[in-house]
Amino acid sequence: MARAATHSLAHSLAIVTGASTGIGLELAKECARNGFDLLIAADDPAIEEAAKELRALGVTVETVQADLATLDGVDKLCAAVKGRPVDALLANAGHGLGHGFLDQDFQEARHVIDTNITGTLYLIQTIGRGMRDRKQGRILITGSIAGFMPGTYQAVYNGTKAFIDSFSFALRHEIQDSGVTVTCLMPGATDTEFFERAGMEDTQIGQGKKDDPAMVAKVGFDAMMRGDGDVVAGWKNKLQTAMAAVTPSGILAEQHRKQAEPGSGHH
């Protein structure tokens, strides 16, 4: 069974967003190792370096540099599909923003919402309709265990991930008889450029031990291939989500403050 499944992946097309570094790059590597040709996207020029690394794995790799927070950016990515059937969509683009909400630049906060939610949903709807028409496809959405807890000093980011975690389950059940699967990957703190970009290097969570993005990506990719509904990467994160489910929101918010408050890494 496994051999047949692998064989059928030859020249299948996978789209991976946020693929220039971190979990996205590792997800793209998993796709390449399993025979998927790739269309990868990110908003920075490092996507070209990522493509070189991925081509070394023996698959065709096309790149799109676009801001996936915008509908135009998503349209640019979808245009690059050129009408081909997409077998897997790995909607991984996303970023965070540290510090208190009232101290944030609103355009930066909005960019988090537009990247993590608006652009992600527009991409999923556009590609997902084609999958539903063909009655086959796999969608992997990178959510986060952050969606289980109020994100004090990371309020907008955690809010977007609560939305995405919820949305992915709803979509999965809306299309459960369509031949298209929806899987939500929920990592915890992972060793990527996330904390640096979010301005959170001086926080306890920013300085703490993190998960290996290659491990997170493998867990997510395998769950997508099985068609699982959701997967939490790492046993500590599984424990954290189980605790979050039975802990009052006020206590979770205070716990998060201790982890994400600016300067908390120096305490």
Side-chain angles (χ1 to χ4, degrees), residues 221-238:
F221 179 85
D222 290 348
M224 177 186 80
M225 295 307 292
R226 288 193 303 268
D228 294 351
D230 65 298
V231 61
V232 176
W235 68 268
K236 280 186 181 166
N237 300 324
K238 289 182 176 144

Side-chain angles (χ1 to χ4, degrees), residues 32-75:
R33 288 187 195 110
N34 286 274
F36 282 97
D37 285 332
L38 286 163
L39 176 57
I40 57 173
D43 61 0
D44 65 290
I47 195 74
E48 299 301 337
E49 288 303 310
K52 284 181 197 164
E53 201 176 333
L54 293 162
R55 286 184 190 115
L57 296 170
V59 295
T60 302
V61 183
E62 296 166 70
T63 62
V64 172
Q65 190 180 334
D67 183 357
L68 299 176
T70 67
L71 301 192
D72 286 348
V74 175
D75 283 339

Side-chain angles (χ1 to χ4, degrees), residues 49-131:
E49 288 303 310
K52 284 181 197 164
E53 201 176 333
L54 293 162
R55 286 184 190 115
L57 296 170
V59 295
T60 302
V61 183
E62 296 166 70
T63 62
V64 172
Q65 190 180 334
D67 183 357
L68 299 176
T70 67
L71 301 192
D72 286 348
V74 175
D75 283 339
K76 183 179 174 184
L77 172 58
C78 293
V81 174
K82 299 187 178 78
R84 291 171 291 179
V86 177
D87 300 280
L89 170 61
L90 295 85
N92 170 77
H95 67 100
L97 190 62
H99 300 281
F101 174 67
L102 296 184
D103 301 318
Q104 290 170 349
D105 176 282
F106 188 73
Q107 291 306 323
E108 289 188 16
R110 181 179 171 174
H111 196 262
V112 172
I113 296 166
D114 286 346
T115 304
N116 297 7
I117 297 178
T118 313
T120 298
L121 263 59
Y122 182 45
L123 177 62
I124 289 168
Q125 189 184 68
T126 306
I127 299 298
R129 283 172 172 165
M131 289 179 167

